[in-house]
Amino acid sequence: MTPEQNDLLCRVEDDAPMGRLMRQHWIPACMAEEVAESDGAPLRVRLLGENMVVFRDSEGRVGALDELCPHRRASLVFGRNEECGLRCLYHGWKFDVNGNVVDMSSEPEGSHMSNKIKARAYPVIESAGFVWVWMGDPDNVAEFNAPQWSSAPDHKIAIVKMHGACNWAQILEGSIDSSHSSSLHSSNMPTADVEGSTARDGAWLRPSADKSPKIEVEKTTFGFRYAAIRKPIKDADKQDYVRTTLFIAPFTVIIPSNDQYNLSQMLVPVDDENTMFYWVAWHPDEDKGISTDDWRKFCGAEIGKDVEPVTFKKVRTYENNYLQDREAMKAGDFTGIYGIPAQDMAMWESMGAIADRSEDNLGTSDKAIFTFRTQMYRAAQAVAKGEPAIGTTGVVLPHAKLMSYQGMVPKGNDWKEYNISDEERAQRAGNGGAKADAAEEVV
Ligand code: FES
Ligand SMILES: [Fe+2]
């Protein structure tokens, strides 16, 4: 990619087209558990280079305000959260969840100033374990398209949260990169005589040892879906081991489930050089899935142990080589780095804050990466021209019904027909069949 294309893809701050694109979608600000308590500590949140404060008031309503007080710009994060509002410490102005000034203690009685001033309040929705904010045009708030895991009861949604010290796009490229799982995560995903991905004994067993999957991509209205097609260890002449992944623009990825739980990720830009990584393990059934504690333990993402509270910054960092254990590597561990997310972070962060994509060399297994780059920088170009953002026009599919797939597909069968919702099938038929595969072009 040229530096200009790379900037279009990566940069989100201020007026950058990709940031404007994302402002046409609801954005997760934090996990609901971070502001669980009414009148609890307000939370500092940074998204797309904007700082806000998120808090839950005495009546349980969640608000998201510009971090800085409209009086003289002190931070509201230090404010008192009490009696249905957030009170700035500096001169005592107090704001409700909608940004209205409900008390202006530094002004004389009878002053009408409070009627004229409002703190900037972002529209907020609480759903599926997250607090979502609308950062776009307040007169044009889009309908909230609940995520895939909204179909699960709240206690069956387990979330890993981790700060990444690099741009969102290189993290997202890791989420849509099936081939790396056979190398980077090979110790966590060993080959075994199983029918499909099987979560056992702290590992995800896989019925294939194939490290060079064939990648096929189908573009869709929400982004794309792709299949990683591997030779299985059994009956390779009759069947393929297929794993499909969905990219839902602009930052959500549905990755293949295992036999215990479903998996989705969101790669949310904090600013140009920082990203919040969310990994959701969920199940629609009451008695299935994985607990939050077990999920964080498995991922090496326990709060207070592997990641700092509030900031979610990692204990394993680039500076300390992610606590890589060379002895463990000699003993057979592929990376010597504990936990799938930290292994990924070592790769993503080592590329630099914003990866230089003019210097990389894409191979055939990078087809989904290629599609992501071209699709998204073009989507940003469209927004720069004043066109609507990808995923917001035409018939918008309910995200809750979009599913990935993993399992054996008999040779001759089409992977595109597996785990596809009726809505998506109908839309595909209406399109005259979405064009499969990325165009043959040079980036
Ligand atoms: S700066 Fe907040 S009340 Fe004065
Ligand atoms: Fe990974």
Side-chain angles (χ1 to χ4, degrees):
M1 295 178 83
T2 65
E4 291 73 26
Q5 289 168 336
N6 206 29
D7 275 355
L8 264 177
L9 177 69
C10 298
R11 294 195 186 273
V12 293
E13 293 179 31
D14 304 320
D15 249 1
M18 188 60 79
R20 283 158 55 197
L21 184 157
M22 292 198 182
R23 283 175 179 81
Q24 294 181 47
H25 292 267
W26 285 88
I27 301 173
C30 62
M31 300 185 289
E33 68 178 66
E34 294 173 81
V35 285
E37 208 188 318
S38 289
D39 292 341
L43 191 71
R44 178 183 284 121
V45 170
R46 185 168 163 83
L47 291 172
L48 308 179
E50 289 180 33
N51 295 332
M52 60 183 80
V53 56
V54 179
F55 67 106
R56 191 181 297 273
D57 76 5
S58 316
E59 286 177 0
R61 295 175 302 180
V62 179
L65 307 179
D66 185 336
E67 183 187 346
L68 302 185
C69 176
H71 178 214
R72 275 171 43 204
R73 319 294 290 156
S75 172
L76 292 171
V77 170
F78 308 111
R80 298 185 64 86
N81 184 14
E82 57 194 10
E83 289 159 6
C84 279
L86 196 55
R87 189 185 292 281
C88 178
L89 291 188
Y90 206 3
H91 313 92
W93 290 19
K94 183 175 173 184
F95 309 91
D96 69 12
V97 288
N98 298 315
N100 300 310
V101 187
V102 292
D103 187 22
M104 230 175 217
S105 36
S106 61
E107 286 299 297
E109 229 175 282
S111 158
H112 294 297
M113 196 173 166
S114 65
N115 303 331
K116 293 186 216 123
I117 293 173
K118 247 190 128 172
R120 179 176 178 193
Y122 299 88
V124 168
I125 284 177
E126 203 176 340
S127 170
F130 287 88
V131 172
W132 309 75
V133 292
W134 177 260
M135 298 177 70
D137 180 355
D139 297 325
N140 225 338
V141 180
E143 207 176 308
F144 179 68
N145 195 342
Q148 197 203 24
W149 57 96
S150 61
S151 55
D154 277 358
H155 67 287
K156 286 294 154 193
I157 297 171
I159 305 168
V160 153
K161 177 170 183 173
M162 202 178 260
H163 171 265
C166 64
N167 179 261
W168 74 282
Q170 67 218 51
I171 295 193
L172 200 141
E173 288 179 0
S175 297
I176 53 165
D177 177 18
S178 188
S179 78
H180 87 279
S181 62
S182 305
S183 287
L184 183 67
H185 307 310
S186 51
S187 296
N188 308 78
M189 303 176 190
T191 305
D193 186 5
V194 286
E195 283 308 305
S197 180
T198 304
R200 289 289 178 281
D201 304 326
W204 293 342
L205 312 180
R206 265 191 192 179
S208 170
D210 187 350
K211 285 185 188 296
S212 57
K214 183 169 164 243
I215 306 287
E216 291 181 8
V217 185
E218 179 188 37
K219 284 192 186 170
T220 62
T221 51
F222 56 79
F224 60 82
R225 63 169 73 229
Y226 79 88
I229 303 166
R230 289 176 169 86
K231 273 195 231 49
I233 51 174
K234 275 201 312 206
D235 298 329
D237 53 329
K238 296 198 196 85
Q239 58 183 5
D240 292 315
Y241 178 51
V242 173
R243 297 174 58 81
T244 69
T245 297
L246 281 67
F247 166 60
I248 304 174
F251 47 62
T252 305
V253 177
I254 311 292
I255 62 178
S257 315
N258 58 47
D259 65 333
Q260 305 288 320
Y261 42 88
N262 301 301
L263 293 160
S264 307
Q265 295 184 341
M266 292 193 288
L267 302 314
V268 183
V270 169
D271 51 32
D272 287 352
E273 300 190 347
N274 294 279
T275 304
M276 208 50 88
F277 168 87
Y278 291 106
W279 199 359
V280 186
W282 60 280
H283 204 285
D285 296 346
E286 284 285 331
D287 53 346
K288 295 210 175 117
I290 184 168
S291 72
T292 293
D293 285 351
D294 287 348
W295 178 232
R296 288 178 182 164
K297 213 169 270 175
F298 173 71
C299 286
E302 291 178 81
I303 300 170
K305 182 176 174 217
D306 306 294
V307 293
E308 288 173 20
V310 185
T311 64
F312 291 85
K313 290 199 170 158
K314 304 178 293 296
V315 166
R316 298 171 188 85
T317 62
Y318 180 78
E319 289 70 28
N320 64 24
N321 282 0
Y322 302 87
L323 305 179
Q324 188 177 36
D325 181 347
R326 292 269 162 193
E327 290 306 312
M329 291 169 83
K330 276 191 197 136
D333 187 83
F334 187 72
T335 63
I337 299 172
Y338 185 77
I340 294 170
Q343 292 160 9
D344 283 317
M345 287 288 178
M347 303 300 102
W348 301 329
E349 291 178 342
S350 64
M351 296 168 182
I354 298 182
D356 179 356
R357 290 175 175 77
S358 67
E359 290 289 336
D360 58 12
N361 298 284
L362 300 192
T364 50
S365 70
D366 298 310
K367 237 175 185 174
I369 313 299
F370 174 86
T371 307
F372 165 72
R373 292 180 183 181
T374 48
Q375 185 171 55
M376 287 307 281
Y377 89 71
R378 284 190 188 132
Q381 270 175 336
V383 168
K385 280 192 239 147
E387 292 166 23
I390 184 170
T392 64
T393 51
V395 183
V396 177
L397 292 170
H399 290 177
K401 294 211 176 156
L402 297 174
M403 279 300 288
S404 56
Y405 172 77
Q406 71 81 37
M408 297 300 167
V409 171
K411 286 207 182 282
N413 285 19
D414 185 358
W415 62 266
K416 297 186 197 79
E417 292 302 316
Y418 285 67
N419 270 12
I420 180 168
S421 68
D422 294 342
E423 287 86 347
E424 195 180 344
R425 195 186 306 277
Q427 191 180 59
R428 187 197 275 162
N431 285 348
K435 286 280 162 284
D437 221 329
E440 294 300 321
E441 59 190 322
V442 177
V443 176

